[in-house]
Amino acid sequence: MEEILIPYGYPALFLLSFCAATLLPLGSEWLLATLLLQGSDPVLGVAIATAGNTLGALTTYAIGLWGSPLLFGRLLRIDGGARERAEHFYRRWGPWSLLFSWVPVVGDPLCLAAGVLRVGFVPFLLPVAVGKLGRYLVVALLVLQGERLLA
């Protein structure tokens, strides 16, 4: 996959980050790290990855708002149990739970549950974007710090 995505740089990072928050069980951190190690701008890389991943989460949220249970299972492969756990978690912690929308396995059901529960757009978007930005910032800082230590 590296050979396909790395030459496309930022557009590939956006697409992979988007897909990682929606349809496919992918990770985008490796591509951000690779681009940073190749000298890409860390601010731009973090911004693009955050935007792609946040828009992917918005897509999952929209599916929760307007989709059917068949769509949840077929498109997102989120079963009823995962959705119920996410809804319970959201009801308990409210919008703060969406700070964890970046966590693998948990994040997509949380975004879907927010849509199903008709969470408002701004109360959804702010914690999701902050959580995703935080993740990519940590990745970038670790990569850049590690590069300095190894140089």
Side-chain angles (χ1 to χ4, degrees):
M1 190 182 311
E2 286 181 42
E3 301 81 28
I4 297 169
L5 294 176
I6 291 172
Y8 293 99
Y10 295 131
L13 179 61
F14 179 86
L15 182 62
L16 186 60
S17 298
F18 179 89
C19 289
T22 54
L23 306 174
L24 305 170
L26 299 171
S28 53
E29 297 84 0
W30 70 269
L31 184 54
L32 175 62
T34 302
L35 292 174
L36 293 176
L37 291 171
Q38 291 180 348
S40 293
D41 179 7
V43 173
L44 187 57
V46 167
I48 288 170
T50 300
N53 212 243
T54 300
L55 288 173
L58 278 169
T59 301
T60 304
Y61 168 77
I63 291 169
L65 280 173
W66 300 305
S68 69
L70 176 66
L71 191 59
F72 304 158
R74 285 256 171 107
L75 186 61
L76 295 175
R77 295 189 176 121
I78 296 173
D79 64 21
R83 197 184 96 218
E84 286 175 23
R85 286 187 300 277
E87 287 176 14
H88 174 72
F89 190 77
Y90 185 85
R91 284 189 178 111
R92 180 171 182 189
W93 299 101
W96 293 108
S97 66
L98 294 169
L99 287 169
F100 297 99
S101 65
W102 62 270
V103 175
V105 180
V106 176
D108 291 341
L110 273 174
C111 293
L112 183 71
V116 168
L117 296 171
R118 305 290 192 245
V119 173
F121 180 74
V122 173
F124 170 81
L125 183 61
L126 289 178
V128 166
V130 167
K132 291 175 182 293
L133 173 64
R135 172 196 42 195
Y136 288 115
L137 277 173
V138 168
V139 169
L141 290 171
L142 289 173
V143 168
L144 296 173
Q145 189 65 19
E147 184 181 41
R148 284 188 201 116
L149 290 173
L150 296 173

